[in-house]
Amino acid sequence: MIDQQPTSVPQRVLRLPVRPDAGRYLVLVAVFVCAACGLVYELELVALASYLIGDSVTQASVVLSVMVFAMGVGSLLAKRLRCRAAVGFGLLEAALAMIGGCSAMVLYAFFAWIGESRFVLVLFSLAIGVLIGAEIPLLMSLIQRISRRDAEGTVADLFAADYVGALVGGLAFPFLLLPWLGQLMGALLTGAVNAVAGGLLVLWLFRRDLTARSRWWLLVANVTVLAVLATAAVLVDDFERAARSAVYGHQVRVAVHTDLQEVVLTGGRSGPPDLFLDGRLRVSGRDEYRYHEALVHPAMRGPHARVLILGGGDGLAAREALRYPDVRSVTVVELDAGVVRLARTDPALSTLNAHAYQDPRVRVVTADAFSWLRAPRGTYDVMISDLPDPGITPSTKLYSQEFYGLAARVLADGGRLVVHAGPPASRPHTFWTIDATLRAAGFGTRPYSAGGRFSGFAAGPDRATGAAAAPHDWGFLLAAAGRVPRLGLDTGVPRLRALGPSALAAGVRAVERTRLPALPPSTLVHPRYTD
């Protein structure tokens, strides 16, 4: 947006193809369109960086701060173009349309084939910020050449058009462009609109201020930009398939964008499937049983007629709970209905979860777990928190003191809550912060861990080897309201292959060795997960 006061430069009044009032209005329309496009570029970078790199707060801070700084630089650099404002603005918009429109594809390409996109993110933020910052000074020069009356009113009109355009762009990105076109096609369309708006304004309204040579170069530049963007739009599906193959390997069977995230399913033809959510390995079919048995079975030692699973849309935690014949009901609260749909219908994934969703004891609720706990229906003997990793910024509220306070109200007398708390060996701060948070919410806790080759909650595949980059252990916390629960070490639990008595006891001892004392709890306003 605009943080600098434009400076006017005395210029001769132009002869326009329309009346001065109409010309002034057309310039303001161009300001509106350019502001909308500029904010879409900004939001596109934030969204894609959060998806590719993670930690949305950090990525948003980097993009916004670099862009605001670059806008100031662009405003200063625009002084050199004021003498030829029309040509300068036309070239600037062509460059902005090309860079902004292609930014998403380039970022994704670096992520897929090189494995590093942070420095490219900063470069795009700088370049787009500089170009956006130079827009208003040049438009101010152009509008003053149409009419020099009411300079203060002109400044107010420019700022108003800019801010309203930013509002429209900010709303269009999440509600129109992202759900209907996706990140890549949305950026390309925005670039095309940007090029058309800038090109028409200069080549038609200010054509008498251009030399024949300038008109020719501007026409060539805009046609080239539109041709590049159109070509990229035609090839975007092929590009996405190639990028996915580079990221996930050549066994991608399903790749869909739900309303909330990208869901990719690999393997399943000659081996177990792997499930990726937004680029992160959620389920490794080769050893997911180790994780889900360790998550579910210790909590089932006691009354377990009514089971509540928060998350777990893949159906694998439900599979383990349904192994107990005296379980009367399993309620799965999953935010993304698309994941549940895939777990029901995909042959490989439904086989892996033992067709859990066909069991009449299972009920699925499509809702945010935090919001659903505010008004639950009934109480539960066992609550299983199979939620996204606490290191992912949007999920931190699901590991907060407020969340566990709501969970305590849902547990029946003698009920147990089990939480996946991240790997204690490689991320002890996160693990013990969740432990401190549970205790602050009135729970007694028992920590334990289980070994595994792949975690299913780390970042996506390693670029060098193609294997899932993950820690070698899972950490869990078994909790009960007002008391310390018993962590059973007997062998009576069915199919507890990864958690025999000695393995589970060793896991408890290993976790305790990583304990970090006196950590504060995490709350909605003070998330503490900083490993």
Side-chain angles (χ1 to χ4, degrees):
M1 309 328 306
I2 311 167
D3 293 312
Q4 67 277 344
Q5 291 287 344
T7 303
S8 61
V9 178
Q11 298 273 1
R12 61 182 176 85
V13 177
L14 292 175
R15 291 186 301 113
L16 300 174
V18 296
R19 290 182 294 111
D21 288 345
R24 180 189 179 97
Y25 174 77
L26 290 174
V27 172
L28 293 177
V29 170
V31 174
F32 171 88
V33 173
C34 292
C37 293
L39 196 65
V40 169
Y41 298 143
E42 188 174 323
L43 295 174
E44 187 71 48
L45 289 177
V46 171
L48 196 58
S50 300
Y51 165 62
L52 298 179
I53 304 172
D55 190 355
S56 57
V57 173
T58 299
Q59 306 315 321
S61 299
V62 169
V63 171
L64 294 178
S65 58
V66 170
M67 271 198 167
V68 170
F69 164 76
M71 286 165 63
V73 174
S75 181
L76 293 174
L77 294 177
K79 291 180 179 181
R80 299 177 177 271
L81 299 175
R82 287 180 302 172
C83 58
R84 302 192 65 187
V87 175
F89 181 76
L91 292 175
L92 181 146
E93 291 305 301
L96 182 59
M98 176 71 84
I99 295 173
C102 296
S103 58
M105 291 187 73
V106 175
L107 271 175
Y108 197 20
F110 270 81
F111 171 79
W113 283 284
I114 298 178
E116 176 56 56
S117 54
R118 288 178 177 85
F119 74 95
V120 183
L121 173 68
V122 173
L123 289 177
F124 272 114
S125 300
L126 278 170
I128 293 174
V130 167
L131 294 173
I132 291 175
E135 287 178 330
I136 291 298
L138 295 178
L139 286 167
M140 187 66 193
S141 296
L142 292 175
I143 203 169
Q144 285 188 327
R145 296 182 68 179
I146 295 174
S147 173
R148 296 176 184 170
R149 296 176 301 167
D150 190 15
E152 293 81 3
T154 298
V155 173
D157 290 343
L158 281 172
F159 274 83
D162 183 80
Y163 292 143
V164 174
L167 171 66
V168 172
L171 294 177
F173 177 73
F175 296 115
L176 292 176
L177 294 176
L178 202 54
W180 288 96
L181 298 176
Q183 292 176 323
L184 303 186
M185 187 64 78
L188 294 171
L189 177 63
T190 303
V193 171
N194 201 165
V196 170
L200 284 178
L201 181 73
V202 174
L203 290 171
W204 181 71
L205 187 62
F206 294 100
R207 63 180 182 269
R208 294 175 181 173
D209 195 39
L210 303 174
T211 65
R213 182 184 180 87
S214 297
R215 282 196 297 270
W216 169 252
W217 280 111
L218 284 173
L219 183 62
V220 170
N222 279 277
V223 169
T224 301
V225 168
L226 291 173
V228 170
L229 295 175
T231 302
V234 171
L235 298 176
V236 71
D237 290 338
D238 293 334
F239 171 82
E240 283 196 76
R241 282 192 291 270
R244 284 198 192 99
S245 296
V247 173
Y248 302 111
H250 296 287
Q251 294 188 3
V252 175
R253 291 195 302 106
V254 178
V256 296
H257 287 275
T258 69
D259 293 337
L260 300 170
Q261 59 194 341
E262 182 185 57
V263 180
V264 174
L265 195 62
T266 66
R269 293 189 178 93
S270 57
D274 292 336
L275 177 66
F276 295 84
L277 303 180
D278 271 349
R280 295 175 177 87
L281 180 64
R282 174 68 180 178
V283 172
S284 175
R286 284 169 289 179
D287 61 0
E288 56 76 24
Y289 69 91
R290 296 179 181 175
Y291 165 80
H292 289 99
E293 288 182 351
L295 174 70
V296 174
H297 293 303
M300 301 294 283
R301 305 304 296 164
H304 51 249
R306 293 159 299 178
V307 178
L308 173 64
I309 300 174
L310 303 177
D314 48 50
L316 298 170
R319 175 198 67 194
E320 297 302 320
L322 292 170
R323 296 190 190 281
Y324 295 82
D326 49 347
V327 168
R328 294 203 308 266
S329 69
V330 175
T331 301
V332 179
V333 180
E334 168 61 46
L335 180 61
D336 193 345
V339 174
V340 175
R341 189 181 310 114
L342 187 65
R344 288 181 190 271
T345 59
D346 182 79
L349 190 54
S350 61
T351 299
L352 191 66
N353 65 36
H355 305 283
Y357 287 117
Q358 295 180 14
D359 193 302
R361 293 175 290 173
V362 176
R363 181 173 74 98
V364 178
V365 178
T366 302
D368 172 70
F370 194 102
S371 300
W372 187 84
L373 285 178
R374 290 177 179 268
R377 296 181 179 179
T379 58
Y380 297 87
D381 301 305
V382 176
M383 184 184 303
I384 299 167
S385 179
D386 189 16
L387 295 164
D389 184 51
I392 304 172
T393 303
S395 69
T396 54
K397 72 174 184 178
L398 304 177
Y399 295 85
S400 65
Q401 185 175 340
E402 294 86 346
F403 179 78
Y404 294 132
L406 294 173
R409 300 189 307 173
V410 177
L411 283 176
D413 292 340
R416 282 91 55 216
L417 163 67
V418 64
V419 178
H420 163 252
S426 58
R427 296 175 60 191
H429 188 280
T430 292
F431 185 90
W432 292 112
T433 295
I434 297 174
D435 178 77
T437 304
L438 281 164
R439 292 175 182 273
F443 285 91
T445 62
R446 284 284 191 181
Y448 65 99
S449 70
R453 183 178 179 186
F454 300 109
S455 168
F457 289 91
D462 182 86
R463 298 298 168 270
T465 65
H472 294 284
D473 65 335
W474 296 285
F476 306 92
L477 291 163
L478 183 63
R483 63 184 176 86
V484 177
R486 176 176 174 268
L487 186 61
L489 299 179
D490 60 318
T491 57
V493 180
R495 294 191 59 177
L496 204 54
R497 288 173 289 184
L499 290 177
S502 60
L504 186 53
V508 173
R509 291 193 297 270
V511 169
E512 287 291 351
R513 286 196 293 270
T514 71
R515 179 178 287 277
L516 300 177
L519 287 174
S522 179
T523 67
L524 288 177
V525 293
H526 290 293
R528 312 275 186 185
Y529 307 115
T530 56
D531 277 320

